[in-house]
Amino acid sequence: MAMRALVGCKRVIDYAVKVRVKPDKTGVVIDGVKHSMNPFDEIAVEEAVRMKEKKLVSEIVAVSCGPAQCQETLRTAMAMGADKAIHVEIPAKEFELVQPIHIAKILAKLATDVKADVVILGKQAIDDDCNQTAQMTAAFLDWPQAVFAAKIEKDGDSLAVTREIDGGTETIKVNVPAVISADLRLNEPRYATLPNIMKAKKKPMEKKTAKDLGVDLTPRIQVISVEDPPVREAGQKVDDVDQLITKLKGLGRI
Amino acid sequence: MMSSELKLRVLSLYKNLLFMGRDYPKGYQYFRERCNTVFKKNKGVNDPKEIERLINHGEFVKKELQALYYLRKYRTLKRRYYADEDEMTKFRNLSNTIEKYERPD
């Protein structure tokens, strides 16, 4: 079993950055803010690389959709072990309104084009937290899906995937081709070191547009307002139980 | 005089460390200053064995940094996305304990 893997890597605001909302409430500040690969996508890339090390996968193609800077994200993926990359260029302005459905269509088309046997994606991105792309990609391809993967093993000609579910895990068998989404505990992603980043510069990167792939990016949503979460109100100290009960009664809670 | 082979290794260690410093929690500037101080402190070292030991120490610091970055990211994500899961586990344990007290057989 030597499969070709397609992995998605979204470029998002770095997890350690404190996100600020623009004063006009149209979005968040992205200019001059550190960006990096979505941590769940790092897990997806790592899993593909480990599958390649186990000879389950023969080639890893990394994909990223978005503005030109996404190429840095793809370099990171290639430094981690992806063999080649496809950058689907979408201008920053247009990218603001791009949703999982658009990305899923792009990924489905690419998966068919590169003859991928397995598509591995992060379960969600830490910026919009949609958690839809893997599921929709599977639907567009009409492939089985194994989402929230915590463990992936070979099982004959299929894959046995252990999934994170409420209060435990579930192990399912999926035939390939399949779409898998990576959960936090799937693996520990390796660090993209400087020498590997340098080597990755020699790996091939293809540039495409959504139009080349025949995907219509017409926005399906309109951003009405982006706001900060409400600030937590300060607590109060009470001297004894009686006072607590009086206060709660005053607030109408009991 | 340092052999050119050792010199290259020291240089690449320095570059690798600075590259990793970009992700340092306290910022690149902070990391760069510390890193430079340490390299300057040892610039007079001439004994090849001692240089070898210092390079190995630098490689160890690189590994530690990688572990630090990984753990920091993992913990942040766990706190952000799986906090209620921990709460649920605690709640389940608590209700099990209560049940045990109510039915002590």
Side-chain angles (χ1 to χ4, degrees), chain A:
Chain A
M1 187 154 74
M3 307 184 289
R4 184 171 289 136
L6 186 76
V7 288
C9 358
K10 185 175 185 181
R11 174 180 177 265
V12 297
I13 293 179
D14 191 80
Y15 79 99
V17 171
K18 175 100 181 68
V19 176
R20 281 183 303 129
V21 172
K22 279 192 215 160
D24 63 358
K25 293 186 177 178
T26 54
V28 296
V29 180
I30 52 165
D31 294 330
V33 170
K34 186 183 176 199
H35 282 65
S36 49
M37 194 195 302
N38 173 35
F40 289 108
D41 291 342
E42 277 182 346
I43 298 172
V45 174
E46 175 67 27
E47 193 60 22
V49 176
R50 288 188 189 195
M51 284 165 90
K52 193 179 171 189
E53 285 165 355
K54 280 189 233 157
K55 307 263 186 268
L56 281 175
V57 161
S58 55
E59 191 184 40
I60 303 167
V61 186
V63 188
S64 189
C65 308
Q69 298 96 311
C70 285
Q71 293 186 3
E72 281 165 41
T73 312
L74 288 169
R75 294 271 176 239
T76 310
M78 289 195 284
M80 288 171 77
D83 298 290
K84 54 184 186 182
I86 300 172
H87 175 216
V88 181
E89 187 155 21
I90 304 171
K93 193 79 206 124
E94 219 173 306
F95 192 61
E96 279 173 20
L97 290 175
V98 164
Q99 286 213 283
I101 190 166
H102 303 121
I103 304 297
K105 281 180 183 167
I106 292 173
L107 290 173
K109 180 74 172 59
L110 284 174
T112 321
D113 288 355
V114 305
K115 297 190 180 63
D117 302 287
V118 60
V119 176
I120 311 177
L121 309 171
K123 68 160 184 169
Q124 70 190 68
I126 60 165
D127 52 0
D128 55 16
D129 286 328
C130 281
N131 188 347
Q132 298 164 352
T133 311
Q135 291 87 335
M136 286 192 192
T137 308
F140 282 126
L141 287 163
D142 200 15
W143 288 2
Q145 55 175 283
V147 290
F148 313 126
K151 196 176 180 186
I152 303 172
E153 286 168 310
K154 187 180 173 244
D155 181 5
D157 279 336
S158 342
L159 295 170
V161 180
T162 304
R163 306 178 52 231
E164 301 258 0
I165 56 168
D166 282 352
T169 56
E170 172 191 66
T171 306
I172 58 167
K173 191 174 158 183
V174 282
N175 290 330
V176 286
V179 179
I180 298 174
S181 83
D183 210 319
L184 185 62
R185 280 170 271 234
L186 182 57
N187 57 47
E188 298 175 14
R190 68 197 64 190
Y191 192 80
T193 58
L194 181 60
N196 286 340
I197 296 258
M198 294 320 238
K199 276 180 218 152
K201 289 193 173 161
K202 292 200 186 80
K203 291 185 179 177
M205 178 156 3
E206 220 181 310
K207 239 168 98 172
K208 285 181 192 285
T209 63
K211 217 173 144 197
D212 295 340
L213 300 165
V215 176
D216 176 18
L217 291 182
T218 314
R220 293 175 170 231
I221 54 157
Q222 184 191 349
V223 176
I224 295 167
S225 172
V226 176
E227 278 164 55
D228 277 310
V231 184
R232 187 181 172 274
E233 281 175 47
Q236 285 177 18
K237 271 196 179 167
V238 287
D239 296 325
D240 50 28
V241 177
D242 291 338
Q243 205 185 339
L244 173 70
I245 290 171
T246 324
K247 281 242 156 105
L248 284 172
K249 274 189 178 151
L251 288 165
R253 297 288 156 89
I254 51 171

